[in-house]
Structure formats: C-alpha cells, structure tokens
Amino acid sequence: MFNSKFGSIPKFYVRAPGRVNIIGEHIDYCGYSVLPMAVEQDVLIAVEPVKTYALQLANTNPLYPDFSTSANNIQIDKTKPLWHNYFLCGLKGIQEHFGLSNLTGMNCLVDGNIPPSSGLSSSSALVCCAGLVTLTVLGRNLSKVELAEICAKSERYIGTEGGGMDQSISFLAEEGTAKLIEFSPLRATDVKLPSGAVFVIANSCVEMNKAATSHFNIRVMECRLAAKIPFLCGGLQTGCWNSGVCHLCILFGELLAKYKSLQWDKVLRLEEVQAKLGISLEEMLLVTEDALHPEPYNPEEICRCLGISLEELRTQILSPNTQDVLIFKLYQRAKHVYSEAARVLQFKKICEEAPENMVQLLGELMNQSHMSCRDMYECSCPELDQLVDICRKFGAQGSRLTGAGWGGCTVSIVPADKLPSFLANVHKAYYQRSDGSLAPEKQSLFATKPGGGALVFLEA
Ligand code: ADP
Ligand code: NG1
C-alpha cells in the first residue's frame, strides 16, 4: 500500500501500543499514580523521509482520508479532532522541543488496530508513534521519559487536558509487567500481576471521542476547582459557602495558617493540596467532606469563594470548551479522586504481598473503583454498567470501566481456570445481536497480557 500511495518503499517503521488501565481512573491529571499495562494492539507507521518540506499522510483504514501539509507550518485545529491532527500533535511536540522551525518532510502510512474512542488510548498511541517517527527522521535521541513528557504535553494541542498516563505507558511499558506510573517526576515501577488470573477487555461498543465532546475536560476543570476552593474557605477569604466556620478550619487551622502565605491561586491539582497539607489520602477524604458541600456549585459561588470575576473564571481557569458549564460537582469529584488514588496504592501492595486470596482482593478494589466512577465521577454509562454486571455474573472477581469512560471498554480480573467459560458466556450475554448473529469476538472481547512499549524498526 505504501508503494501504491507514494511510489517508493518505507525506510523504517515505528510502533506505539495502546493500553488498558487496570486501576486509577481520572486521577493522572490530578497528579496521582495510576496502574496501566500496554496492550498488544498498536499504531504502526511506515516512514520515508523526503528532501522537501512536504508531509504526506495516508492511512490503511479508508475512514481516515489522506492528508498533506508543509512540515514547517503545522496548524492544529482544536475544534475538529480529525485523525491527522493527532499525528501533528506528536510532530509538533518534537519540533518545539528542539526549537526547530524548519522540519523536512516525510511520507507516512499509518496502520492501527486499537479500537478508537474506546478507552484503550488509540489517540495517544498515534501521538506517541508520530513523535517517535519525527525524532527518528531528525536523527536525534531522547529518553523514553522525555518522549512521554513531550507527547503528554503535545496531545493537549487537540484540546483535551489529559494527565500523561497514556503516553507514559506507551513509551515505558515492558512485556510481562504492569507498571505503577508516578508523576512529577515521571517514573514507572514494575507491578507483578497475579499468575492465577487473566485480565479481560470487553468493549461496550459505545464510542466516546474525548476531543469532540466536553465530558472529559469538565471533569478536569471540576478537579482543578476542587483543589482551590477548600483553602479559600474558612476565614482565608470572606464570602464562602459556610461563612468561614467549616470543620476544615478547626481541624486544620494550624496547617492552613502555615500555608496561608502560599499562592493557592496557583494550585491546579488535588495532589498538590495533599502534599502542601502533608496529610494522608484518608485524611484528605475527611477534609473534603468538611470543606466542600455535596450540592453542586454554580459559577457565581465559585467566583465568590475564589474572589474572582466570572470573566476571570472563564478565561484563566476553565478550558475553551467548558466556559459555559453551569454546574460543578466538586465534592463528588474530589471524593472519587482521593479514594481512587488510595485504591491504586492498595492494589500495588496486594500485588507485592501476594496473599492467598489476592485475586479476590484485587477484584474488590476494581469493583469499588467502578462504583466510584459510576456514582461519584459519573463517567460510566448504562451499557458499561450492564457489561460490568455481566462480567461479574460469569466469573470475574472484579470488573470496571477502563479509560475515560462514558462508553468504551471494561477490564475484568478472571481466575485463569474460568477463562473459557467466561469468554463464551459474556460473548453470548452481551454481544449476541437481536438477529442472532454475534459481534466479532476478536476485537470486542479478549484476554490481554502486559505488552512492550514503543519501538523503531530499521531496515537491515
Ligand atoms: P481513545 O480513548 O482511543 O484515545 P479518542 O476519542 O481520544 O479515543 O481518540 C480517537 C481518535 O484517534 C480517532 O477518532 C482518530 O481520530 C484517532 N485514531 C485512533 N486510531 C487511529 C488510526 N488507526 N488511524 C488514524 N487515526 C486514529
Ligand atoms: P483515554 O480516553 O482512555 O485514552 C483519558 C486520558 C488519560 C486519563 C484517562 C482517565 C488523554 C490522552 N487520556 O484516557 O490521561 O485521564 O482518560 O483515567 O487525555
């Protein structure tokens, strides 16, 4: 196909994998550690550098049309997340990192088998693959951590305010092991998964494109606001919802006095709040219960608490696609984040200690995670809830949505000896169509093992 598109043959190939997040949902952009593994499915790009400035992209999938532009004039349209824009994000990230204005061109043919908009990070695999393609064409070197950080930042050119989990695992993954990904500084630690269980991905077949909707960014903004509000409450700022007499001020009066001089207006992430207060995640849950109210906040109340105008809220805190949001559920989002962050650490500890009932304990954490995503974070959907129930009914010890949610996939932990009957029963219960035919099992329901990270294949 490359030959028929460009009349030449590729000089090298790059692959970058998708991932399944085992636990730790919607907490990477709050600064908390997550626990994903790479999947075998990936984006693969065949590349031929050229001597002109022409960048020509083609795709093996006819749904993604050919695209060409000048490599030294990259424009990314945030309002339309067309496929080639993800490629341009990766390219632009590398270009900016090296401060290059004149990039030479290339011919690229993109192929991918990660189901798109399904929570398995097809978008980040494409961004990371394009980043590594560009680095290779330039003949430069960067560490995997540098590449992950550059691509995490540059994927935001598409308009989503993601946290960096997907790009990190795409580069730092190693075959045979899941990873605990920690941020600031970015690092990845091996997590040995139980040998007696298998992780199974099931696609709800509901697609949710993050960049084409505002669901994802609204959650990021709610977390951002939840990180600021408690500390401007309780006498540090007048006019807050409980007139400055909340329990937070009594419980943490000394801590607040100590940190009063810090610039809370600069705090963006819930993890920073915890670090500044120097207290545990369990204590943060208590602080949240005292400092935030369960009723939704409206923009006026938020502005009162922060001492800013509506215009400042819109332009200085909110992203372009969340400026008209009228309801922010800060209490529920913060509770999800702190409890989910604690579950990730518990999951890792159980994997290290490997108690006899390990699979059951890990399953319980995954079930709790799904409940919190569904009820507190509201990022599930009826199809995902149904799929999770079906997976549990047919033998999963735990099952949860994975990735951003609102559609996409579930991940289940299934005892190895139950795998064949689990696959058969779930297939029948969820994928059997009304006309009696079955959706293709291979793409929708499959067991997965920790795969390796991004790679360049050079011709011998
Ligand atoms: P995900 O959860 O899979 O990252 P997103 O909705 O964020 O989902 O991104 C999906 C988008 O990524 C697709 O609409 C498409 O633009 C792009 N994409 C994914 N896979 C491919 C591919 N193989 N070729 C071209 N573009 C792709
Ligand atoms: P998906 O939609 O599954 O690729 C997104 C974010 C992650 C993370 C998860 C939720 C991007 C590129 N990805 O992943 O950073 O926040 O949602 O845990 O924004």
Side-chain angles (χ1 to χ4, degrees):
M1 184 160 179
F2 191 99
N3 187 262
S4 72
K5 283 275 174 195
F6 303 115
S8 52
I9 54 158
K11 291 287 175 299
F12 66 93
Y13 300 79
V14 176
R15 62 90 57 168
R19 60 100 188 95
V20 57
N21 189 21
I22 300 172
I23 196 158
E25 222 58 83
H26 286 279
I27 58 172
D28 58 344
Y29 51 78
C30 299
Y32 283 110
S33 310
V34 290
L35 213 156
M37 63 182 175
V39 292
E40 177 196 324
Q41 289 82 343
D42 55 15
V43 167
L44 178 67
I45 307 185
V47 191
E48 179 199 22
V50 296
K51 292 202 166 64
T52 66
Y53 291 121
L55 169 68
Q56 296 201 74
L57 304 180
N59 202 299
T60 54
N61 183 339
L63 286 177
Y64 302 121
D66 291 357
F67 173 80
S68 61
T69 188
S70 169
N72 55 8
N73 179 29
I74 299 301
Q75 308 287 336
I76 301 174
D77 181 358
K78 277 194 182 189
T79 59
K80 281 197 211 100
L82 299 173
W83 80 274
H84 60 257
N85 283 327
Y86 293 91
F87 186 102
L88 298 181
C89 285
L91 183 140
K92 193 173 162 82
I94 297 296
Q95 184 181 24
E96 284 181 345
H97 179 82
F98 291 108
L100 302 170
S101 49
N102 281 341
L103 267 191
T104 51
M106 49 183 142
N107 295 327
C108 295
L109 178 65
V110 176
D111 180 50
N113 59 356
I114 309 164
S117 301
S118 302
L120 300 181
S121 280
S122 67
S123 62
S124 301
L126 179 51
V127 172
C128 293
C129 207
L132 190 50
V133 162
T134 311
L135 185 76
T136 311
V137 167
L138 288 171
R140 306 256 188 154
N141 272 314
L142 285 172
S143 70
K144 292 178 184 181
V145 165
E146 285 170 315
L147 274 164
E149 285 177 334
I150 291 168
C151 292
K153 191 166 152 228
S154 69
E155 185 163 346
R156 296 192 192 114
Y157 288 130
I158 207 79
T160 47
E161 298 282 332
M165 154 168 65
D166 309 344
Q167 302 82 1
S168 304
I169 193 68
S170 195
F171 283 113
L172 300 171
E174 284 174 296
E175 205 173 325
T177 179
K179 295 276 182 181
L180 181 81
I181 304 281
E182 296 168 273
F183 302 97
S184 311
L186 175 60
R187 56 202 183 279
T189 314
D190 290 0
V191 176
K192 195 174 173 307
L193 296 173
S195 52
V198 181
F199 288 86
V200 179
I201 294 174
N203 197 335
S204 72
C205 302
V206 176
E207 289 195 1
M208 207 291 288
N209 185 299
K210 281 190 311 289
T213 57
S214 56
H215 299 59
F216 184 81
N217 276 2
I218 291 175
R219 293 293 176 275
V220 181
M221 297 307 133
E222 286 175 315
C223 290
R224 226 176 242 189
L225 292 169
K228 293 170 180 293
I229 299 283
F231 304 96
L232 296 166
C233 161
L236 296 183
Q237 183 85 31
T238 53
C240 81
W241 67 279
N242 62 359
S243 319
V245 289
C246 66
H247 293 149
L248 170 75
C249 312
I250 299 157
L251 277 172
F252 297 100
E254 275 178 34
L255 284 171
L256 286 177
K258 188 168 148 201
Y259 291 110
K260 197 158 63 168
S261 55
L262 292 170
Q263 290 179 291
W264 288 108
D265 60 326
K266 297 271 186 307
V267 172
L268 287 180
R269 298 181 310 166
L270 288 165
E271 187 275 336
E272 292 172 60
V273 178
Q274 188 201 353
K276 286 191 196 306
L277 291 182
I279 59 178
S280 68
L281 284 165
E282 289 69 27
E283 285 167 318
M284 279 316 298
L285 277 167
L286 294 176
V287 169
T288 302
E289 280 167 20
D290 276 328
L292 295 170
H293 56 69
E295 299 75 26
Y297 289 70
N298 61 38
E300 288 73 24
E301 183 180 13
I302 285 171
C303 288
R304 255 200 331 277
C305 275
L306 299 180
I308 58 172
S309 68
L310 275 173
E311 190 51 26
E312 283 168 321
L313 174 67
R314 286 206 181 101
T315 55
Q316 288 171 26
I317 300 183
L318 300 179
S319 67
N321 66 346
T322 58
Q323 295 187 349
D324 297 324
V325 175
L326 296 175
I327 278 181
F328 298 94
K329 295 193 182 175
L330 308 189
Y331 172 93
Q332 292 82 350
R333 310 314 182 216
K335 290 235 344 184
H336 166 77
V337 169
Y338 291 126
S339 66
E340 184 76 354
R343 280 187 286 274
V344 171
L345 302 180
Q346 287 163 30
F347 195 99
K348 176 170 180 273
K349 192 157 172 268
I350 294 168
C351 288
E352 279 162 2
E353 291 172 355
E356 234 173 68
N357 58 343
M358 167 180 199
V359 175
Q360 180 201 335
L361 295 176
L362 297 179
E364 278 165 17
L365 288 172
M366 291 171 69
N367 287 337
Q368 287 166 18
S369 168
H370 184 76
M371 233 187 321
S372 182
C373 283
R374 184 191 63 200
D375 301 336
M376 298 307 244
Y377 221 69
E378 296 179 280
C379 63
S380 189
C381 66
E383 293 83 352
L384 278 172
D385 294 340
Q386 188 200 358
L387 190 50
V388 154
D389 286 345
I390 289 173
C391 290
R392 287 181 197 145
K393 180 173 164 199
F394 291 114
Q397 290 281 330
S399 186
R400 55 179 297 278
L401 67 84
T402 185
W406 296 285
C409 293
T410 61
V411 58
S412 303
I413 183 169
V414 181
D417 57 344
K418 289 201 178 139
L419 184 65
S421 64
F422 174 84
L423 292 174
N425 286 323
V426 173
H427 198 224
K428 211 165 158 210
Y430 191 81
Y431 298 99
Q432 183 129 33
R433 299 195 183 108
S434 48
D435 63 0
S437 66
L438 295 174
E441 183 174 340
K442 213 164 159 265
Q443 288 110 32
S444 316
L445 178 67
F446 53 92
T448 190
K449 287 197 289 256
L455 279 179
V456 181
F457 303 94
L458 295 168
E459 289 286 327

